[in-house]
Amino acid sequence: MDLNLQGKNVVVTGASKGIGLATARSFATEGANVHAVSRTVITEDGIESIPLDLTDHAAARQLADRVGEADILINNLGGVVPGSLTAAGFLDLDDDTWQATYELNLFATVRITRALLPGLLNRRGVVINVSSIGARAAFPPVDYGTAKAALNNLTKALAEEFGAGGLRALTVTPGPTRTANWSDPQGYAGRLADQAGLTLEEFITTVPGAMSITTGRLTEPEETAALITFLASDRSGNLTGADYLADGGVIKTV
Ligand SMILES: NC(=O)c1ccc[n+]([C@@H]2O[C@H](COP(=O)([O-])OP(=O)(O)OC[C@H]3O[C@@H](n4cnc5c(N)ncnc54)[C@H](OP(=O)(O)O)[C@@H]3O)[C@@H](O)[C@H]2O)c1
């Protein structure tokens, strides 16, 4: 299927690894002009690496100045911040942790979207926000889940306010996805493994059962990237405001 993405100007945030890198590669394979943003510089064929700390308030303007008008913006930046990773629960989350979580998962995306929106509107473009099943169900940590729930609301609001002007806005909602968050002993799964008194390898084998992953396995980043790429293409030209689960069936509600 030709996705007609050749030459499209695509910005992917949080793109040095995981779902973001898989997404940047997927668009590059389709012939798009890809700008990958992260703090780390990456070297990949067909991808321009833009090193920025997107929690820095000046970064959104710098990004917009660098890329000019974008056709497609993939707001993939996000994750569980260190203070949240080690917190025992709600009472253990202090103001600084809440602030850091919202900077990473919501406010940076608000600033980037605002800076790129004039160009996106000019090109009748697409914004895809990468959320989490934590937005749909009360999985800890609560600061992360609530920030992602706000992101879902932002997607819908953008779709409504700017839809008549030609913008499409969609949410993609990953469940457990085999990125460093699940393979790094210092990452999200490593902490949960410690709490459960298991090695990371032992813990990972318990995840499909413990999280009721219907397919019995974690999602691969490339699978989520393929969904994002399709949704951003004009093959999906009449889809907007919707939220697409990429979770192997974790979320059971209709
Ligand atoms: N993996 C999962 O199981 C899962 C599940 C549900 C939702 N999600 C969501 O899916 C998205 C991607 O997750 P992932 O697991 O692929 O993430 P990841 O592997 O942790 O990668 C995060 C990316 O964001 C970049 N980044 C982090 N802080 C940054 C900053 N301040 N400025 C610029 N870039 C920054 C990192 O690069 P640098 O370190 O080089 O900056 C990296 O490229 C996130 O929004 C996450 O919340 C993931």
Side-chain angles (χ1 to χ4, degrees):
M1 185 188 295
D2 182 4
L3 296 180
N4 194 27
L5 290 166
Q6 190 80 34
K8 297 278 188 192
N9 218 17
V10 180
V11 175
V12 184
T13 66
S16 66
K17 57 184 178 178
I19 296 169
L21 178 58
T23 301
R25 285 176 174 158
S26 173
F27 280 110
T29 302
E30 295 296 325
N33 185 18
V34 183
H35 310 275
V37 196
S38 56
R39 291 165 301 183
T40 312
V41 176
I42 58 164
T43 308
E44 290 271 333
D45 280 351
I47 297 176
E48 185 202 17
S49 178
I50 302 182
L52 285 173
D53 181 344
L54 293 171
T55 60
D56 175 347
H57 289 211
R61 188 67 265 146
Q62 291 164 359
L63 177 61
D65 289 346
R66 176 92 174 251
V67 302
E69 288 191 349
D71 295 287
I72 295 167
L73 169 60
I74 311 299
N75 286 315
N76 169 73
L77 180 74
V80 177
V81 303
S84 178
L85 211 53
T86 51
F90 172 69
L91 291 175
D92 215 16
L93 291 164
D94 60 20
D95 285 354
D96 289 346
T97 304
W98 277 92
Q99 190 64 41
T101 293
Y102 272 68
E103 282 295 338
L104 185 66
N105 290 283
L106 183 67
F107 300 149
T109 289
V110 167
R111 289 191 294 267
I112 293 159
T113 306
R114 193 169 51 205
L116 290 176
L117 198 64
L120 284 160
L121 285 170
N122 202 29
R123 294 184 173 214
R124 302 184 72 81
V126 185
V127 176
I128 296 183
N129 292 331
V130 180
S131 184
S132 167
I133 53 171
R136 297 258 208 129
F139 295 111
V142 62
D143 52 335
Y144 175 71
T146 59
K148 290 294 197 180
L151 182 69
N152 289 15
N153 195 303
L154 174 69
T155 314
K156 195 72 172 172
L158 291 170
E160 283 300 303
E161 183 172 348
F162 299 105
L167 185 84
R168 294 193 299 121
L170 295 161
T171 298
V172 167
T173 291
T177 310
R178 218 153 53 85
T179 68
N181 289 303
W182 293 88
S183 58
D184 177 357
Q186 308 306 321
Y188 176 71
R191 297 296 312 186
L192 294 178
D194 283 350
Q195 285 164 14
L198 299 172
T199 66
L200 181 55
E201 292 71 29
E202 287 166 346
F203 176 74
I204 291 295
T205 64
T206 70
V207 170
M211 293 194 73
S212 295
I213 306 179
T214 308
T215 57
R217 66 169 177 86
L218 273 62
T219 302
E220 298 298 326
E222 291 74 20
E223 294 175 307
T224 308
L227 172 65
I228 292 170
T229 308
F230 175 71
L231 291 174
S233 78
D234 51 21
R235 292 284 180 169
S236 306
N238 206 32
L239 303 181
T240 196
D243 177 2
Y244 294 87
L245 286 165
D247 71 340
V250 173
I251 297 293
K252 308 299 181 199
T253 47
V254 175

